[in-house]
């Protein structure tokens, strides 16, 4: 027997759902019985964990009457198992034992009511996993008997009731015997398989057991000389993804695992595809983006239905570029075209919206503070010749904003803008006539990712006034706006989530936008026939190739998730889909996996505002450098030229605790100052040297990250030298950087624009450079000196030295 088992270990021991029947074929000549685990093998729960069922149970009258909450139900089970171990030498218990551990005063009637209630809740939570149903049918066709062996607090009668409810009648009839650990006083690891073989009066080698648990279902069965296979649901990356989803969900909605269960509706869908999810693109599209777009596609379907119930016939339009993947997802869900793609960008919506001076007022009030005057002029549709003259006047002005406003509000300039916008609007309408057959009195359903719905807000009043056309918005995520008269609906909106939660997601939504975008340039105008005119900004072909693969995997998920729903007779309710979309989106933005980060490392984002600017999605090295130099509180403050769109990916690559810190900072609006971050300080003696005058002072360096400290020294003109006595405390020290920063830009978004390297001004005394920034301090008098070699231009500066102590000169109290 041992030799047979050893030979089997050389064969496959872990299998995916797709392998079940092919692998069983290797055993049909060896075994006469197929033994199956019950939960997470034959029956799966829709919840993220088995205990999630208890959070729904605590809302039932039976549980409320007995004072049972989810937490108390978990505690009662633990207590019951401890008592059973103490009194009977086994930790196996029944539901009745568990309830009595909660309260010994419960009557038989109450115990029965609690049992029936919990069993009913499990019937709602569980469904039969179709690949295992097919496995049972196949095994029966090959003459094998089917038994169930389960570690469970359900009795055989109770488990039979659950199986009868969840299984098709033909499959239920094929189950020969059910073994429940609570009735046999032994779990799988504690010897129930011996009891199984004894009761069946068959050799262990005649049984093949399949289950999901590596110890209970595989090792324990093998130890009892059964053949065994572990049904592996997912690989390590998907398991990490599911864990991080749960973590993300805990940040988003306090009612989860407090007032209601946390659902995980797509675990089984992923399991069906487990052996095919082998590339980063497949994993990203199928397991990360797919659930978000599946939920959004259902929401779009729901909004269309609601409008049709109201007697409307909406023309569904998907705003390119970001609504491209939602368009594909809807088509996959319905297995037909759901609507039409139209080319309206934020730039084109603004360009068409300047009907009155008040429209120009509103735009300038929001944009002029950026002082991006060229971009503003382009948005106001001014010609290049006029823009050149305007910029020349601004360059000579001491008050650029006032000068610019004065020029724009000159009658000639303002009339030009309003006339150009009117003509632009006519061309945009022509585009809609060509693409969707726009007519007076139409209802348009604008579909986009969100978030304020700029295109809808800018165009809806004009289209209503000029054509009696209603524009209704349908978005993945909506933020509250002042435009309360605009009809707009979001899958994730302020009816469910507070403003901090929504802005937490929107702040870094550019990653999702880039994954949803179409392979086309941004629209900047239309010709007289209504054909789009595109910008010249181009995303590199490598990125586009990756994007195509991700989007195809997403579409596959939407189609297959819908098939799964129908095949397993599961209806995903709107709340479950909304939760899934939110936690998947939050997980993707804040807690990406290493493979996701590596795969997306070269992705870029263009602003889609009529400019030619492209910026990285993230830059891991810049992220790490920023945190070393500025600490996490200020490292994400970057100007336009140095910014990235998704700092959380950089932080997640560094450490989970940094990513969680950023999540908490956004989610709860935490007010934190630099001094709050740590109680650790490094006190250093510094000398200000002016000729023969030496002024000593003590400064504190604050910790940043990974053992680095930031020391800020005031730079007083060009006639003072500074010396830092590193040797007093350190035998070895690492110098990461030295920078001169304008004081008024320190810890602001403009810091990078007003920072210069200070290395050329540094000298060392009694410090030996060992390479790579590492220095040995030869004595307690070892100094790092700052001695300006040239006149430092500009306003007041600070010198920032980033260093890391390597070897302390002597032990000091921290």
């Amino acid at each position: 027997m041992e030799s047979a088992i050893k030979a089997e270990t050389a064969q496959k021991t872990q299998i995916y759902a797709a392998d079940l029947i092919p692998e069983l074929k290797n055993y049909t000549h060896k075994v006469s019985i197929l033994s199956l685990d019950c939960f997470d093998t034959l029956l799966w729960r829709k919840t993220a964990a088995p205990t999630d069922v208890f959070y729904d149970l605590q809302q039932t009258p039976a549980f409320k009457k007995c004072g049972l909450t989810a937490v108390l139900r978990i505690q009662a089970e633990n207590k019951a198992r401890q008592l059973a171990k103490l009194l009977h030498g086994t930790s196996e218990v029944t539901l009745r034992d568990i309830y009595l551990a909660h309260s010994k005063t419960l009557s038989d009637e109450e115990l029965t009511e609690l049992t029936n209630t919990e069993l009913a809740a499990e019937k709602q939570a569980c469904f039969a996993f179709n690949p295992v149903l097919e496995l049972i049918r196949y095994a029966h066709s090959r003459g094998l008997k089917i038994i169930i062996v389960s570690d469970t607090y359900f009795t055989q009668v109770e488990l039979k009731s659950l199986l009868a409810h969840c299984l098709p009648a033909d499959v239920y009839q094929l189950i020969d015997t059910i073994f429940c650990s609570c009735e046999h006083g032994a779990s799988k690891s504690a010897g129930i398989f011996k009891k199984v073989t004894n009761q069946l009066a068959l050799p262990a080698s005649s049984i093949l057991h399949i289950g999901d648990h590596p110890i209970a279902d595989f090792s324990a069965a093998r130890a009892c000389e059964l053949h065994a296979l572990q049904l592996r649901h997912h690989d390590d990356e998907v398991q990490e993804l599911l864990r991080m989803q749960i973590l993300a969900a805990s940040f988003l909605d306090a009612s989860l695992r407090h007032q209601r269960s946390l659902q995980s509706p797509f675990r089984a869908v992923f399991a069906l595809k487990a052996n095919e999810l082998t590339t980063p693109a497949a994993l990203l599209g199928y397991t990360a983006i797919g659930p978000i777009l599946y939920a959004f596609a259902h929401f779009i379907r729901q909004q269309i239905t609601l409008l049709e119930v109201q007697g409307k016939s909406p023309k569904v339009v998907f705003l390119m570029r970001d609504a491209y993947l939602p368009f594909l997802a809807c088509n996959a869900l319905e297995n037909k075209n759901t609507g039409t793609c139209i080319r309206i960008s934020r730039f084109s919506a603004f360009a068409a919206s300047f009907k009155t001076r008040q429209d120009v007022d509103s735009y300038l009030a929001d944009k002029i503070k950026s002082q991006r005057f060229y971009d503003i002029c382009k948005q106001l549709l001014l010609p290049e010749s006029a823009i050149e003259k305007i910029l020349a006047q601004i360059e000579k002005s001491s008050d650029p904003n006032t000068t610019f406003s004065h020029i724009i509000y000159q009658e000639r300039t303002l009339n030009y803008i309003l006339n150009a916008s009117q003509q632009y609007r006519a061309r945009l309408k022509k585009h809609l006539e060509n693409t969707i057959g726009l007519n007076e009195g139409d209802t348009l359903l604008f579909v986009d990712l969100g978030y304020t719905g700029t295109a809808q807000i800018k165009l809806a009043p004009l289209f209503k006034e000029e054509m009696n056309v209603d524009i209704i918005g349908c978005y993945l995520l909506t933020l509250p706006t002042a435009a309360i008269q605009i009809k707009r609906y979001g899958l994730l909106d302020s009816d469910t989530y507070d403003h901090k939660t929504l802005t937490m997601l929107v702040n870094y939504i550019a990653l999702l936008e880039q994954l949803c975008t179409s392979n086309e340039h941004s629209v900047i105008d239309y010709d007289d026939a209504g054909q789009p005119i595109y910008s010249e900004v181009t995303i590199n072909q490598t990125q586009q190739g990756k994007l195509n693969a991700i989007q195809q995997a997403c579409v596959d998920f939407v189609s297959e998730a819908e098939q799964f729903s129908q095949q397993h007779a599961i209806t995903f309710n709107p709340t479950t889909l909304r939760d899934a979309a939110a936690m998947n989106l939050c997980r993707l933005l804040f807690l990406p996996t290493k493979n996701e980060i590596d795969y997306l490392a070269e992705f870029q984002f263009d602003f889609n505002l009529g400019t030619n600017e492209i910026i990285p999605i993230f830059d891991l090295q810049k992220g790490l450098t920023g945190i070393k130099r500025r600490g996490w509180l200020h490292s994400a403050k970057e100007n336009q030229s140095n910014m990235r769109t998704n700092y959380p990916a950089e932080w997640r690559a560094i450490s989970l605790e940094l990513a969680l810190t950023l999540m908490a900072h956004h989610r709860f609006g935490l007010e934190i100052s630099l001094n709050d971050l740590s109680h650790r300080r490094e006190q250093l003696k510094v000398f200000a040297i002016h000729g023969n005058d030496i002024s000593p002072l003590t400064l504190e360096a604050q910790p940043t990250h990974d053992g680095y400290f930031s020391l800020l020294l005031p730079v007083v003109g060009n006639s003072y030298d500074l010396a830092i006595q590193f040797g007093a405390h350190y035998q070895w020290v690492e110098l990461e950087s030295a920078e001169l920063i304008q004081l008024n830009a320190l810890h602001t978004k403009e810091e990078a624009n007003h920072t210069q390297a200070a290395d050329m001004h540094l000298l060392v005394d009694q410090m030996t450079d060992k390479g790579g920034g590492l220095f040995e301090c030869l004595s307690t008098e070892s100094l790092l000196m700052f001695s300006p070699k040239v006149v430092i231009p500009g306003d007041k500066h600070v010198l920032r030295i980033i260093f890391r102590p390597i070897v302390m000169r002597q032990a000091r109290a921290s």
Side-chain angles (χ1 to χ4, degrees):
M1 176 55 65
E2 279 187 34
S3 61
I5 294 295
K6 286 180 180 178
E8 189 174 321
T9 58
Q11 300 175 2
K12 187 180 293 186
T13 58
Q14 293 182 333
I15 59 172
Y16 292 117
D19 303 323
L20 283 167
I21 291 177
E23 197 61 30
L24 179 60
K25 292 178 180 179
N26 295 327
Y27 288 89
T28 52
H29 65 286
K30 303 177 186 178
V31 302
S32 58
I33 292 180
L34 173 63
S35 169
L36 294 171
D37 169 46
C38 183
F39 296 101
D40 284 325
T41 299
L42 175 55
L43 295 186
W44 288 49
R45 294 181 177 93
K46 303 167 192 171
T47 55
T51 51
D52 275 300
V53 177
F54 304 155
Y55 291 94
D56 294 327
L57 271 171
Q58 71 183 4
Q59 307 299 332
T60 62
F63 269 57
K64 285 184 175 181
K65 183 171 65 176
C66 297
L68 260 176
T69 65
V71 172
L72 291 176
R73 166 63 178 79
I74 294 169
Q75 292 175 351
E77 182 176 340
N78 290 336
K79 182 179 179 181
R81 292 188 183 280
Q82 291 166 1
L83 283 171
K85 185 70 173 176
L86 179 66
L87 298 175
H88 309 297
T90 176
S91 59
E92 294 304 311
V93 294
T94 64
L95 283 177
R96 184 183 183 91
D97 297 327
I98 292 169
Y99 301 141
L100 287 173
H102 169 68
S103 173
K104 292 182 178 180
T105 63
L106 292 172
S107 66
D108 286 341
E109 182 180 342
E110 288 171 324
L111 290 170
T112 299
E113 184 180 12
L114 287 170
T115 299
N116 290 340
T117 300
E118 182 157 342
L119 190 57
E122 290 284 6
K123 289 177 179 178
Q124 290 299 311
C126 290
F127 64 91
F129 190 44
N130 195 64
V132 181
L133 298 181
E134 294 303 320
L135 178 70
I136 291 173
R137 292 184 176 112
Y138 176 80
H140 176 72
S141 74
R142 299 302 298 266
L144 275 63
K145 287 187 175 181
I146 316 299
I147 66 172
I148 305 296
V149 181
S150 179
D151 283 345
T152 181
Y153 38 68
F154 291 122
T155 64
Q156 185 185 79
V157 171
E158 292 160 356
L159 191 54
K160 277 186 174 182
S161 175
L162 179 58
L163 290 169
H165 175 84
C166 296
L167 302 184
D170 70 304
V171 173
Y172 178 71
Q173 295 299 324
L174 300 180
I175 296 174
D176 188 71
T177 310
I178 297 174
F179 296 86
C180 298
S181 62
C182 66
E183 292 186 321
H184 290 271
S187 66
K188 294 170 187 172
S189 298
I192 194 174
F193 287 117
K194 290 290 186 184
K195 295 175 181 270
V196 170
T197 55
N198 290 340
Q199 182 171 323
L200 296 176
L202 289 170
S205 60
S206 66
I207 302 173
L208 168 64
H209 181 76
I210 300 177
D212 68 292
H213 200 281
I215 296 174
D217 290 307
F218 181 74
S219 298
R222 283 287 182 91
C224 291
E225 300 185 341
L226 280 72
H227 300 282
L229 293 169
Q230 181 198 349
L231 174 61
R232 193 172 187 199
H233 296 168
H234 316 106
D235 65 13
D236 292 342
E237 174 136 352
V238 176
Q239 290 178 24
E240 177 191 345
L241 181 146
L242 291 169
R243 287 195 306 274
M244 294 300 107
Q245 282 179 7
I246 294 170
L247 195 159
S250 67
F251 274 83
L252 296 173
D253 191 337
S255 70
L256 291 170
R257 290 185 170 171
H258 170 54
Q259 297 173 330
R260 61 193 182 93
S261 62
L262 173 59
Q263 302 286 305
S264 185
F266 304 123
R267 286 190 312 124
V269 182
F270 298 161
L272 289 172
K273 195 91 167 182
N275 59 327
E276 299 179 43
L277 299 176
T278 56
T279 66
L283 284 161
L284 254 170
Y286 204 88
T287 63
I289 311 299
I292 302 170
L293 271 294
Y294 180 75
F296 188 30
H298 269 271
F299 181 74
I300 295 166
R301 173 198 278 176
Q302 179 186 2
Q303 299 310 308
I304 295 171
T305 301
L306 289 174
L307 289 172
E308 290 172 344
V309 169
Q310 296 169 21
K312 301 181 184 295
S313 299
K315 292 180 177 178
V316 183
V317 295
F318 293 82
L319 273 58
M320 297 293 102
R321 298 172 298 170
D322 292 350
Y324 176 66
L325 191 52
F327 170 71
L328 297 181
C330 284
N331 292 347
L333 183 71
E334 305 292 355
N335 200 26
K336 64 178 182 180
N337 276 350
T338 302
T340 306
C341 296
I342 62 172
R343 275 70 191 175
I344 297 180
S345 64
R346 282 174 289 177
F347 180 88
S348 63
F350 270 112
S353 70
F354 302 121
K355 189 170 185 178
T356 66
R357 172 174 172 149
Q358 286 72 33
D359 298 323
V360 178
D361 291 343
S362 177
Y363 175 73
L364 287 182
D366 185 49
K367 301 297 182 182
I368 198 169
K369 60 181 177 290
S370 71
Q371 296 194 336
R372 295 168 63 90
F373 298 115
Y374 179 83
D375 296 338
I376 294 172
C377 286
K378 292 293 289 184
Q379 183 65 85
L380 292 173
L381 304 176
L382 294 172
E384 287 290 339
S385 57
I387 294 174
E388 288 180 14
K389 294 177 182 178
I390 292 171
L391 295 181
Q393 293 183 57
I394 290 171
E395 195 159 337
K396 300 174 185 176
S397 173
S398 60
D399 186 356
N401 289 10
T402 300
T403 300
F404 183 76
S405 299
H406 176 73
I407 296 170
I408 295 300
Y409 286 127
Q410 290 176 358
E411 183 176 358
R412 181 178 179 182
T413 306
L414 186 60
N415 285 340
Y416 182 93
I417 292 170
L418 300 182
N419 288 333
S421 184
Q422 182 181 25
Q423 294 170 25
Y424 192 108
R425 191 159 60 252
R427 296 194 296 273
L428 188 154
K429 289 178 181 176
K430 189 69 175 178
H431 171 65
L432 294 180
E433 290 171 7
N434 293 343
T435 53
I436 62 171
L438 179 67
N439 294 307
E440 290 196 8
D442 276 346
T443 296
L444 306 186
L445 186 67
F446 269 24
V447 178
D448 202 356
L449 296 182
Y451 314 96
T452 56
T454 300
Q456 182 193 5
I457 288 174
K458 294 301 172 186
L459 299 178
L462 297 173
F463 276 60
K464 184 66 176 176
E465 177 185 346
E466 297 175 0
M467 297 186 68
N468 192 30
V469 168
D470 288 319
I471 299 179
I472 298 168
C474 181
Y475 305 110
L476 173 70
L477 189 155
T478 56
L479 293 172
T481 71
I484 57 175
Q485 75 281 7
I486 302 294
K487 294 180 180 178
R488 49 203 289 276
Y489 306 96
L491 173 62
L492 312 179
D493 64 6
S494 56
D495 287 344
T496 305
Y497 302 102
D498 65 23
H499 189 71
K500 290 189 288 290
T501 303
L502 295 173
T503 53
M504 163 189 170
L505 299 174
V506 170
N507 282 340
Y508 304 108
I509 202 74
L511 174 58
L512 181 68
E513 292 177 347
Q514 208 57 39
L515 294 174
C516 289
T517 193
S518 58
N519 183 19
E520 58 187 52
H521 299 180
S522 180
V523 174
I524 57 173
D525 205 343
Y526 310 88
D527 64 20
D528 291 339
Q531 293 301 312
I533 298 173
Y534 298 100
S535 71
E536 296 178 358
V537 178
T538 302
I539 298 298
N540 68 72
Q541 289 305 304
T542 299
Q543 175 169 327
Q544 191 57 53
K546 290 182 175 182
L547 186 58
N548 292 341
I550 292 168
Q551 291 179 343
Q552 184 57 57
C554 173
V555 170
D556 290 343
F557 174 84
V558 173
S559 177
E560 290 167 15
E562 189 66 4
Q563 292 172 18
F564 172 89
S565 171
Q566 296 169 5
Q567 189 178 56
H568 289 77
I570 296 174
T571 301
F572 299 122
N573 66 56
T575 299
T576 296
L577 292 178
R578 183 199 66 213
D579 290 344
M583 69 182 183
N584 275 274
L585 178 59
C586 184
R587 199 285 310 166
L588 175 67
L589 300 183
F590 286 89
L591 302 168
T593 66
K594 183 180 185 304
N595 282 340
E596 288 172 342
I597 291 172
D598 291 345
Y599 193 66
L600 299 173
E602 304 300 322
F603 267 52
Q604 297 175 314
F605 176 79
D606 73 282
F607 276 96
N608 190 21
L609 286 171
T611 71
N612 293 326
E613 291 185 75
I614 295 179
I615 61 175
I617 295 291
F618 50 80
D619 185 316
L620 299 188
Q621 189 54 53
K622 281 187 177 180
L624 180 58
T625 299
I627 286 180
K628 285 180 183 177
R629 296 181 182 180
R630 306 173 77 182
W632 71 261
L633 190 60
H634 298 298
S635 69
K637 295 177 180 177
E638 299 284 4
N639 62 8
Q640 193 79 19
S641 62
N642 200 43
M643 73 178 293
R644 288 87 63 200
T645 63
N646 287 80
Y647 298 106
E650 300 170 354
W651 293 26
R652 176 63 187 100
I654 297 170
S655 71
L656 178 61
E657 59 265 31
L658 269 177
L660 296 180
T661 298
L662 183 62
M663 290 175 71
H665 190 51
H666 283 297
R667 173 64 184 88
F668 302 109
L670 304 179
E671 294 184 12
I672 300 174
S673 75
L674 189 61
N675 286 329
D676 297 331
L677 299 183
S678 173
H679 292 165
R680 295 173 61 210
R681 299 289 187 272
E682 285 290 308
Q683 292 193 343
L684 294 166
K685 185 172 284 188
V686 177
F687 301 95
I689 305 169
H690 181 60
N692 293 325
D693 295 332
I694 300 177
S695 302
L697 62 154
T698 300
L699 296 179
E700 284 189 336
Q702 293 188 317
T704 57
H705 173 72
D706 206 17
Y708 288 93
F709 285 80
S710 172
L711 179 65
L712 296 174
L713 302 96
V715 176
V716 185
N718 294 278
S719 57
Y720 278 82
D721 292 346
L722 298 170
I724 307 164
Q725 191 177 352
F726 277 128
H729 300 307
Y730 315 125
Q731 291 182 7
W732 293 80
V733 66
E734 178 185 353
L735 300 181
E736 194 274 339
S737 63
E739 296 173 314
L740 277 169
I741 307 166
Q742 283 191 17
L743 182 59
N744 60 3
L746 182 68
H747 296 156
T748 72
K749 289 185 177 181
E750 295 304 313
E751 182 181 301
N753 279 348
H754 301 282
T755 298
Q756 55 183 295
D759 305 65
M760 65 179 291
H761 306 296
L762 297 183
L763 301 169
V764 294
D765 182 22
Q766 298 187 57
M767 293 176 65
T768 302
D769 186 350
K770 297 295 186 178
L774 184 64
F775 287 82
E776 182 182 7
C777 299
L778 302 178
S779 77
T780 58
E781 305 301 317
S782 296
L783 299 172
L784 174 69
M785 300 184 67
F786 171 76
S787 181
K789 303 299 182 187
V790 295
V791 174
I792 300 172
D795 300 325
K796 296 178 181 178
H797 288 76
V798 293
L799 173 66
R800 181 168 64 199
I801 303 292
I802 304 299
F803 68 95
R804 178 162 59 177
I806 302 299
V807 178
M808 309 302 291
R809 186 162 295 280
Q810 60 185 10
R812 297 185 296 133
S814 58

